[in-house]
Structure formats: C-alpha cells, structure tokens
Amino acid sequence: MASEFDLIRRHFIRPTHHSVLGVGDDCAIVAPRAGFELLVSTDMLVAGTHFFADTDPEGLGWKTAAVNISDIAAMGGEPRWITLALSLPAADEAWIAALAKGFADCCDAFGVDWIGGDTTRGPLNLCATVFGEAPAGAAIRRSGAQPGDEIWISGQPGLAALGLQSLLGRIVLADAAREACLTALHRPQPRVGLGLALRGIASAMLDVSDGLAGDLGHVLESSAVGALLEEDLLPLNALRAAGADAEQARHALFSGGDDYELVFAAPADKRTDVLVLAAALAIPLTRIGHIVSEPGIALATVGGTREPISARGYDHFPG
Amino acid sequence: MASEFDLIRRHFIRPTHHSVLGVGDDCAIVAPRAGFELLVSTDMLVAGTHFFADTDPEGLGWKTAAVNISDIAAMGGEPRWITLALSLPAADEAWIAALAKGFADCCDAFGVDWIGGDTTRGPLNLCATVFGEAPAGAAIRRSGAQPGDEIWISGQPGLAALGLQSLLGRIVLADAAREACLTALHRPQPRVGLGLALRGIASAMLDVSDGLAGDLGHVLESSAVGALLEEDLLPLNALRAAGADAEQARHALFSGGDDYELVFAAPADKRTDVLVLAAALAIPLTRIGHIVSEPGIALATVGGTREPISARGYDHFPG
C-alpha cells in the first residue's frame, strides 16, 4: 500500500495556473489581486449524511468541488482557489484516483486552482474550502432584497431531489428524465457565469442547496422582508413531466436541495436585463414572485387564495 | 433540541475585527492587504485518529485552531482569518459551546477572525482552514535550506508525545512534568511571534506536527540537502527529567508529534541573531546540527560514530 505522502503526491498535486505555491509546504501561497475582496466558503460532505458510502467516487469528487464553487457563484464572485481535506477509512488507491479526477475536473472546468489539502484516516468525510474574488463592494449578499424586487430562480430546481427519490425507490421517473435528474444530483453545475453576470442586477442572491423555501427564507431573513410567490409562475411542469405527482413536484421544488441553482431578487426595472441575460447565457431564469414587506413566504394560488409556505429547508439538527 | 441554524447563531457567530463580512452569507468576505500574499492551510482532526472521542471539547477547540494557526507561523505569516467545518454525531449543546469557546479563545489569542464554517451530522470531525498574510515573497518555505546552514528547534519538542504516552498508560511521568506534557498535548501554542521574527533570518522552516525526524525530512527533501545532527546538542534532558528513559526520550523527540514547535535552518552567520531573538522572545531556541549536501539525516553520537536516523515520521497510511 502506498504511503500517505505517496498518495498525495500521485493524485492530489496538480499544476496550478494562477498561484504562487501549490501543494507541498505548510501553506499554499496565492496573490489576491489589488482592488478585489476575497470570498471564502467551506463545505463538509459526510458519507451517510450527504451521499451514500458506495457512491461513484469520481462524481463525488466533482460534487465536492461543485457545491463549494457554487457558494462563490452565489455571491457573484470569480472562483479562484480551493483546498480539499479528506478523511478516509482506508487508502484504496483506485477510489482516491477517481475522487481526485472528479474534483480536479470540476476545478478545471471553472478555472479553479487546487492548491492544498490534508489526508487522514477516519470515517469518510470531505471538506473543501474555496476562495473567490470580486471587486471590492461588488459581491451580492443575501441582505439586499427590497420590497417590490422580483424573485427569480435559475435552471430547473427540483431535479436533483427527484433523482434522490428515484435512487431511494420512492418514485418512478420517465427514463429520459431519470438521467437528467441523476446528473443534477451527481454532477451539479455551479452557476458561475450567471453569478458574475448578475453583479449590478441582483439585489440579493444565494444558491439553493437545502430547498427553495428554506434558502429563500435565509434571503428574506437577512433582508428583513418577505416573499409572495405566484403558483402559476413556479417551474413545476418539468418536474411533473419527469414523473412526479403534484405533491412530489412541489416538495422537490420547495424542500429538495442539491440543485445549486441561484435564487435572486432584482428590482422590477431590471426585468429586461434579466431576460436578456437568460437568452445570452442560455440558462432558464424564471420569475416566481416578488419581495413584500411582510415577513415569511406566501403563495398566491391559481385559485386566488394565499397559503403560507414553511421556510424550513433541510436542517441537520432539527429542533 | 436547538436547530442547526440556532446552534450556529448561538455559538459560532463571533464578532470579527478585520473582516468585511463574517458568518451568515454564502461566503465570508475579507480584504487582503495590498502588497501581501495570502497563505492558506487546512487541517482535519478526526476522533479516534487525532484525539480521543471523549476528549475535553474546550481543549479540542483550542487545538483545532492552534494546529492550523501553526501552519501560518511555520511560514512566517501573520494569521488573519479562519473557518471551521465540523461534523457531529449529535447536537449536544454544552459540548458545542465548549468546543466553540476553545476555538474562539485560540483565535482571539492570535488575532484571528473566525469568519465562517459548516455544521453537519456525522462521525466527529473538525476541519479548519486558516489564512495568513505575508509581504509578497517573504514567506519562509521548506525549500531554502543550504549546506552549512545551522538547524534550530524551538521550545521543548517531545513533551506532547510524553503526555500522550502517559494518557495511554505507557509511561509514568513526574507529577510536575505530567501537567506540562498534557498542556503541550492539549493546548499547543503556535509560534506565531517567532515565525514572524524569523523572516529574513531562517532559510527554511516548518512546524513539527509528526515528529522532528519526519518533518525535518520534509525540509531536507524540499531543499535537496541532508542534515547532520549532534547528539550532545539534542534537547533530551527535559524529557529525561520528566520521567522518560533514554529510548523513550529519543523516540518522543524524533517521532512524537503534536508539539507544533518550529524547526528551521539559518545561515551560520545568523547565529547571533537567532540567540538574540531567543532572549527577546523568551523562547528556547536550540541549535541541533547543520545542513549537509548528502541526503538523509545522520546523527553524530557522543561516542564519535554516525548513525542514520529514519526520516519517517507519523504516516496515516504507511506503505
């Protein structure tokens, strides 16, 4: 069996493109650009909690990088550098090689230098920390939403949740849809280009990791506002077409996580800008409601009633 | 039981002193100083591998911050920001509060802003990522040691290893020494001030986390040189006085980890500077040998012979 240092050398040392010093010393060294702020986020993925222990390691590597990079996208930042610490029950080299490949492929796809990490023995756990840059003051926070702003969501949230339900045998999906749902679950695409393009347009933004209701709730709480969503604007059709019934589709949209789409608020007079952006980037951007001053999330139904939507997303330690 | 978000809010959100945005958004935001480079290091601590599952949580919190901050010290950087991701089997609030206190106390002691993290459910695992700053080009790497440079070690390495041996019941320490050894094990003090002061003096440096032989071996390998240590210079007396026999003392020094002392090389004409620094900082700095061109570590014994020292420190996945 190869030693820890051999394993690191063989699989975890990749060429860097915009770093001063990569793997191999006490610290990596990078040179942040003058006039930019540094955005930092860390995410830990645990076997049995976030993924099945027997999950495909290459997909797991991709996803570990992707969910971190998504946090940079969610603030309109440019992802630049990432570290990966991992704890492994055994040094299975083929598994490690596949994990490293998936992680590096995602980094390469988004121009991120993999600059360091840590490898140790223990229950399977992956912790990445990602660093992005944005011009000083330009990062899009959660706290800027104003009453009257329109609420938008990118792509097709809910697919990853349907993929998970399908793996758990709780739903039968159409064959064509099943692949799209599993791809959404295993190979999420952080919306980096969209996040960058929304600087100057979005007033508040985050990525949907724990379900639209809970994550939108974080924006609302940070901004001290509420939301009125319109049932007939919600992107439920594709979820129904995939094989979900009305309840499953709504649950996947509001409470399913793991799509890493961006939800954002933008002033109503920016609607054309948003639609132009959607066309230019070929990413669906769906207006689903608007910000109101009353706290909480309400849904204006097609029947003309208003229903409260629970703002609780997925909570690892529910009260 | 409190929810994940409540727990984070209550214990993991601390005031920051030199950060743009702390916990509570997709990313933290910091403003690196112009003309400085950013040093980045990540360390993962796993229950059963790095610490006992029933270890005191406040000490564990301190140590998790300290071992990370030590990596910044080891490059002569100024530690500035840190994140903490953790996976917990259950949300025991008293335990979390103590862990957070120890972590925050160490951050405060070294002027580090705790800017973010992640909390999830799973086997106990702590992953911190720390960011420091150094003027561009000033960081002290492992790769700069030259033949003729003298080799120095700070403080009293080996105490933490004796503390661990004592906890495992493998050694009986003198009462007074036992406390010092356990403090070294549970409350390591990163050598931040020393690291900063060694800029311009040390040619290569790292912190001793896995034992002097293995870690010095990393410096030698990076610098493509070797070391000749002198037995009569080695700081073994305090280890013997603590209750270790000759073999235990030598093993604690060469193969014991967890002291987080700094080992560094410095040109021979800097010897006075180093000794002045030791006096000024009130930190013992012991010259233990010098760099040679032949690879490997050799020990010049008091008997006049030369013995090879295995450069292998602690390896989580030994070959």
Side-chain angles (χ1 to χ4, degrees), chain A residues 1 3-4 25-28 30 38 40 44 49-50 71 118 120-121 129 131 142 206-207 315-317 319, chain B residues 1-4 25-26 28 30 38 40 44 49-50 71 118 120-121 129 131 142 206-207 315-317 319:
Chain A
M1 198 192 280
S3 86
E4 177 184 4
D25 212 306
D26 293 289
C27 299
V30 302
L38 193 75
V40 180
M44 181 175 268
T49 301
H50 299 91
D71 282 315
D118 192 18
T120 186
R121 190 183 284 277
T129 306
F131 319 98
R142 298 179 177 183
L206 54 51
D207 64 330
D315 186 337
H316 291 290
F317 298 109
Chain B
M1 196 191 280
S3 87
E4 177 185 5
D25 212 306
D26 293 290
V30 302
L38 193 77
V40 179
M44 182 175 268
T49 302
H50 299 92
D71 282 314
D118 191 17
T120 186
R121 191 183 282 279
T129 306
F131 323 99
R142 299 180 175 181
L206 56 50
D207 65 330
D315 186 336
H316 291 288
F317 298 109

Side-chain angles (χ1 to χ4, degrees), chain A:
Chain A
M1 198 192 280
S3 86
E4 177 184 4
F5 301 112
D6 289 340
L7 284 177
I8 291 171
R9 210 170 281 127
R10 211 168 301 152
H11 301 291
F12 287 4
I13 301 185
R14 304 275 169 160
T16 57
H17 303 287
H18 48 257
S19 304
V20 180
L21 184 67
V23 174
D25 212 306
D26 293 289
C27 299
I29 306 179
V30 302
R33 290 173 288 187
F36 283 71
E37 287 172 339
L38 193 75
L39 314 181
V40 180
S41 180
T42 188
D43 272 297
M44 181 175 268
L45 279 75
V46 183
T49 301
H50 299 91
F51 59 89
F52 300 110
D54 65 351
T55 199
D56 164 56
E58 192 178 328
L60 178 61
W62 174 281
K63 186 163 179 172
T64 301
V67 304
N68 274 275
I69 291 170
S70 177
D71 282 315
I72 302 295
M75 296 195 84
E78 181 185 351
R80 298 271 288 165
W81 304 286
I82 198 165
T83 61
L84 174 65
L86 73 165
S87 165
L88 294 170
D92 175 338
E93 186 161 1
W95 193 95
I96 288 173
L99 180 89
K101 179 180 188 308
F103 191 84
D105 283 350
C106 186
C107 293
D108 289 347
F110 293 96
V112 174
D113 271 2
W114 181 5
I115 55 171
D118 192 18
T119 320
T120 186
R121 190 183 284 277
L124 184 54
N125 183 308
L126 303 152
C127 183
T129 306
V130 66
F131 319 98
E133 288 183 307
I140 304 168
R141 303 182 183 198
R142 298 179 177 183
S143 53
Q146 300 282 338
D149 285 357
E150 296 180 326
I151 303 169
W152 299 79
I153 179 91
S154 68
Q156 179 55 63
L159 293 181
L162 294 188
L164 179 60
Q165 294 300 312
S166 163
L167 288 181
L168 294 169
R170 294 182 188 151
I171 192 172
V172 177
L173 299 175
D175 275 355
R178 188 164 190 273
E179 192 170 321
C181 292
L182 292 177
T183 299
L185 180 65
H186 293 311
R187 292 257 170 175
Q189 299 291 323
R191 295 295 194 185
V192 172
L194 176 61
L196 289 170
L198 283 169
R199 293 203 302 231
I201 295 176
S203 56
M205 182 158 67
L206 54 51
D207 64 330
V208 179
S209 56
D210 295 335
L212 176 59
D215 286 326
L216 177 57
H218 297 317
V219 166
L220 302 178
E221 196 181 333
S222 294
S223 299
V225 293
L228 179 64
L229 304 185
E230 297 176 45
E231 189 177 20
D232 61 349
L233 297 179
L234 297 178
L236 293 166
N237 289 344
L239 305 178
R240 297 295 304 276
D245 65 24
E247 180 53 34
Q248 289 168 330
R250 193 163 145 167
H251 190 266
L253 178 65
F254 281 121
S255 304
D258 262 3
D259 284 297
Y260 302 95
E261 294 296 350
L262 299 182
V263 60
F264 60 94
D269 63 10
K270 300 278 191 190
R271 191 191 288 186
T272 306
D273 296 304
V274 175
L275 294 173
V276 166
L277 208 58
L281 298 174
I283 296 174
L285 297 177
T286 306
R287 184 172 56 85
I288 58 174
H290 64 276
I291 299 292
V292 295
S293 52
E294 303 77 40
I297 306 177
L299 181 69
T301 68
V302 289
T305 63
R306 290 203 179 183
E307 292 176 14
I309 299 281
S310 165
R312 171 147 275 174
Y314 186 74
D315 186 337
H316 291 290
F317 298 109

Side-chain angles (χ1 to χ4, degrees), chain B residues 284-306:
Chain B
L285 297 177
T286 307
R287 184 172 55 85
I288 57 174
H290 63 276
I291 299 291
V292 296
S293 52
E294 302 76 41
I297 305 177
L299 181 69
T301 69
V302 290
T305 63
R306 292 205 178 181

